[in-house]
Amino acid sequence: MPVPLKIAIVVALCLILGSACAAAVYVDSGASGKVHNGTSWATAYQTITQALDSLPDGGDIWVKTGVYHECLTMKPYTNLYGGFLGFETSTDQRYPGAFPTVISGWKMGRVIDIPVNGRAYIDGFTIRDGKSDKGAGIHCSTNSITTIINCRIENCEATGGGGGVFFDTYTQGQLNNCVIACNKAPQGGGLVVEYHSYPTMHNDVIINNYATSVGGGVYCPFHSGAWLENCTIAYNTADTSGGGIYAYYGGPETFIKCIIAFNSAPMGGGIYGGGGSTQATLSGCDWFSNVGGNMGGAITSLPAEAGNVFVDPMFLMPGCDEFHLSTSSQCGGIGAYPIDSAYAVDRIGVAKLLPDSNSVKLSNKIVSCVDGDITYVQEADRSTAIPVRGLTGCSTGKIITSLTGTLSTSRQTRTLTAASFTLSSATIYKPKPLGTRLQWLRSLTGVRTLTWGKVDSVSPTGFTLRDGDYTLDVRLANPGVGVGNYISVVGSCVLDGSFVGESVSSLNR
């Protein structure tokens, strides 16, 4: 085990154990009542900023699922937990992947700033829409020690470096089970690990990030000590060099059992060594189909007998944000998600096709409604639901923690018949349709579904539903709906992302 990892683990344990005796401060953006002092879910603060202001030196903050438009500066010692439903008495009761707590910077500033010498633990958040000079999603300042786990950092933009995450000089910490996606910066679109910084990263997916100069996914400048193990670095782009990774005077960064695939740059699509000889350790990784070459610059070949391979990793459904590996992949044990593994991050919207191509495994879904022998299950933040037969004891708002079933063979009325399922004792009393996003259903094209929203526009061939910032094009001739109507529609998603409707019903709002 590398020394930086040992230090990071000790620090993380100290943060967790040190907070075990301290009372948590609660945050719920929808908390009702006149008293908001953060001492319980019933009297929760309505913003994370209020909670931070109540803790001069830091402490534990529990944040209920929802969207929080804030830019945060952490206190010296802060443990920030997301993914709560508002009834929990322990962090072990959360489902942060299924019921996300979203912190959006609204492109008004950096989303989370860890102060100099700060100690922070961040678990269970989607961190998005940040904009700053560096570290627009999360900035770990000099000499800070930060643990980031079970988070998704996306759609952030830095004018300098580290669109998603920036580990500044002399920092330590962990970045585990995270997705860093669709961020942008001149250097290190996804993340930057600065001079003499030694964070360890395990089971992270770094995808679809963009650098206008170097290091589309990861940028490691002079004497960077980044340690990445079992990570997937894919579909990142840089305009100059290092589509996946840019290592300047490489060293002593380490990449072990990582998948570096489908990245792109004019030079060194996979990894580029800048500035001269490199000390980078590249062992047991898969290098495949990187445009501009797997290697470039000072890195011209991989170490002999280091166990590197050059095969298609065979991601299940990369277009649907699904980077598990097919059971036919030759990359077992490499990358963030081993073959047929449990989900390292129970990410929103994952529906896993099992090897027989007819069975499906779902996790952490909500019962949307029960209609006779059909139970509709949905994502917490998505206004679409899959019909399932064979579920018993369900009622609206119940959480199904796992469900395995078989799809019917009829493409016209394709439903899922449950073979086994597990119900949680918890209940969401009112599932909230927060978006008509159907990305998670595109892996199950042709499944008959129910979705709803407000009619935004109408044409002779169909109409558009809008729910907040999200829209869905529905193909249905002569639907008999008008702009402004709230409706539900039954149909199925097709390959181009649109929705073919069968019937519509009016909703009472």
Side-chain angles (χ1 to χ4, degrees):
M1 182 182 295
V3 173
L5 178 57
K6 292 180 180 178
I7 295 172
I9 290 173
V10 170
V11 171
L13 287 173
C14 289
L15 282 168
I16 296 169
L17 295 176
S19 66
C21 299
V25 173
Y26 300 85
V27 179
D28 175 4
S29 61
S32 57
K34 296 181 179 180
V35 178
H36 300 288
N37 55 22
T39 59
S40 69
W41 287 119
T43 60
Y45 288 120
Q46 294 177 308
T47 69
I48 305 171
T49 300
Q50 291 171 333
L52 286 168
D53 289 345
S54 74
L55 298 168
D57 297 317
D60 282 13
I61 300 175
W62 293 10
V63 189
K64 186 178 176 180
T65 182
V67 180
Y68 298 79
H69 296 288
E70 305 185 55
C71 295
L72 308 174
T73 298
M74 304 288 263
K75 298 299 182 178
Y77 296 89
T78 309
N79 300 325
L80 197 62
Y81 298 91
F84 292 94
L85 298 175
F87 69 89
E88 295 86 349
T89 57
S90 166
T91 56
D92 294 336
Q93 296 172 301
R94 299 172 302 147
Y95 301 104
F99 311 119
T101 299
V102 179
I103 309 175
S104 170
W106 260 3
K107 298 292 185 179
M108 299 297 290
R110 178 181 296 129
V111 183
I112 296 179
D113 195 10
I114 314 299
V116 173
N117 299 319
R119 305 292 184 263
Y121 187 93
I122 303 170
D123 178 0
F125 290 88
T126 294
I127 296 160
R128 58 175 295 129
D129 306 325
K131 191 167 186 178
S132 183
D133 58 340
K134 58 183 180 181
I138 301 176
H139 176 234
C140 305
S141 297
T142 300
N143 288 324
S144 63
I145 302 178
T146 305
T147 297
I148 307 165
I149 63 174
N150 302 321
C151 287
R152 184 178 180 95
I153 301 147
E154 63 183 13
N155 197 35
C156 296
E157 182 177 353
T159 56
V165 181
F166 193 101
F167 286 97
D168 220 322
T169 53
Y170 300 102
T171 54
Q172 298 179 43
Q174 299 179 64
L175 183 71
N176 296 341
N177 292 350
C178 292
V179 177
I180 301 175
C182 304
N183 302 288
K184 178 182 177 181
Q187 298 176 332
L191 68 122
V192 169
V193 180
E194 258 288 2
Y195 176 84
H196 281 305
S197 291
Y198 297 94
T200 60
M201 306 175 207
H202 293 82
N203 293 309
D204 297 313
V205 177
I206 303 168
I207 53 170
N208 294 316
N209 300 285
Y210 170 54
T212 57
S213 181
V214 297
V218 182
Y219 176 68
C220 300
F222 185 64
H223 279 305
S224 169
W227 181 291
L228 283 80
E229 187 168 351
N230 280 109
C231 292
T232 293
I233 304 169
Y235 297 97
N236 302 286
T237 303
D239 283 348
T240 302
S241 55
I245 306 158
Y246 184 95
Y248 185 74
Y249 274 108
E253 60 271 302
T254 299
F255 297 87
I256 297 177
K257 295 182 178 179
C258 293
I259 293 175
I260 300 99
F262 304 106
N263 302 286
S264 176
M267 298 180 291
I271 185 170
Y272 186 89
S277 62
T278 177
Q279 302 175 45
T281 298
L282 309 169
S283 176
C285 297
D286 178 37
W287 307 82
F288 184 77
S289 195
N290 294 290
V291 177
N294 289 324
M295 294 151 282
I299 301 175
T300 57
S301 63
L302 295 172
E305 300 180 0
N308 292 285
V309 296
F310 305 87
V311 297
D312 186 347
M314 299 182 69
F315 298 129
L316 277 181
M317 293 170 285
C320 294
D321 198 14
E322 172 51 272
F323 285 87
H324 276 77
L325 306 182
S326 165
T327 53
S328 302
S329 174
Q330 300 177 51
C331 292
I334 306 176
Y337 303 132
I339 296 171
D340 201 29
S341 70
Y343 294 118
V345 181
D346 186 11
R347 291 166 294 114
I348 305 165
V350 171
K352 184 176 182 181
L353 289 173
L354 299 183
D356 64 10
S357 298
N358 203 40
S359 298
V360 176
K361 180 179 179 180
L362 310 177
S363 59
N364 294 334
K365 303 293 183 280
I366 302 174
V367 175
S368 177
C369 64
V370 180
D371 182 13
D373 65 339
I374 296 288
T375 299
Y376 286 93
V377 299
Q378 69 169 98
E379 295 289 338
D381 71 335
R382 304 192 178 199
S383 60
T384 185
I386 293 178
V388 183
R389 297 183 187 274
L391 295 179
T392 58
C394 293
S395 58
T396 299
K398 278 291 185 181
I399 300 169
I400 300 175
T401 56
S402 66
L403 188 161
T404 301
T406 303
L407 290 170
S408 64
T409 55
S410 170
R411 299 292 290 187
Q412 298 301 317
T413 58
R414 205 172 183 201
T415 58
L416 183 67
T417 299
S420 63
F421 68 96
T422 303
L423 272 176
S424 168
S425 59
T427 299
I428 301 286
Y429 292 101
K430 186 179 180 183
K432 296 181 179 180
L434 299 180
T436 50
R437 293 168 288 173
L438 288 180
Q439 183 177 356
W440 71 298
L441 285 177
R442 288 176 186 153
S443 63
L444 304 174
T445 298
V447 176
R448 191 169 183 263
T449 66
L450 170 76
T451 189
W452 56 89
K454 183 179 181 180
V455 178
D456 192 57
S457 62
V458 180
S459 72
T461 59
F463 55 92
T464 299
L465 286 180
R466 176 175 291 278
D467 194 349
D469 293 333
Y470 303 98
T471 60
L472 174 69
D473 293 324
V474 179
R475 299 183 196 172
L476 181 62
N478 303 314
V481 300
V483 174
N485 293 164
Y486 285 94
I487 64 167
S488 65
V489 56
V490 173
S492 59
C493 190
V494 295
L495 288 174
D496 67 1
S498 63
F499 192 82
V500 177
E502 298 174 14
S503 61
V504 299
S505 299
S506 176
L507 291 176
N508 294 321
R509 295 292 294 251

